[in-house]
Amino acid sequence: MKKILCKKVLVISVGTVIAFGNLTWSVSQASKLAKQREIESFEQEKVKSSELEMAE
C-alpha cells in the first residue's frame, strides 16, 4: 500500500515539475517574442521618421 502511494506522489511531482518547466519555457519564449516585436516596431518608427526628414 505504501509503495503505491509513493509511486503516485512521485508521478505527480514529476508531472508538476514538467508542467512548471513547460510553463516557464513558454513564458520566456513569449517575452523573447515581445522583445523582438518591440525592436521591430522601433526600427520601423526610425525608418518612418527618416523618410519624413528626407521628404522635407
Side-chain angles (χ1 to χ4, degrees):
M1 189 69 196
K2 230 178 187 178
K3 270 188 178 177
I4 294 169
L5 193 69
C6 282
K7 266 190 178 175
K8 270 190 178 176
V9 168
L10 191 68
V11 166
I12 290 169
S13 58
V14 166
T16 309
V17 167
I18 291 170
F20 188 71
N22 283 344
L23 185 72
T24 338
W25 182 80
S26 58
V27 165
S28 70
Q29 290 296 103
S31 66
K32 274 183 193 170
L33 273 174
K35 274 185 187 157
Q36 239 178 346
R37 282 199 196 117
E38 277 176 25
I39 291 166
E40 282 172 9
S41 61
F42 178 69
E43 283 174 355
Q44 283 175 352
E45 289 296 316
K46 266 172 45 180
V47 168
K48 276 182 190 171
S49 60
S50 61
E51 280 176 0
L52 284 171
E53 284 170 14
M54 284 178 144
E56 287 175 3

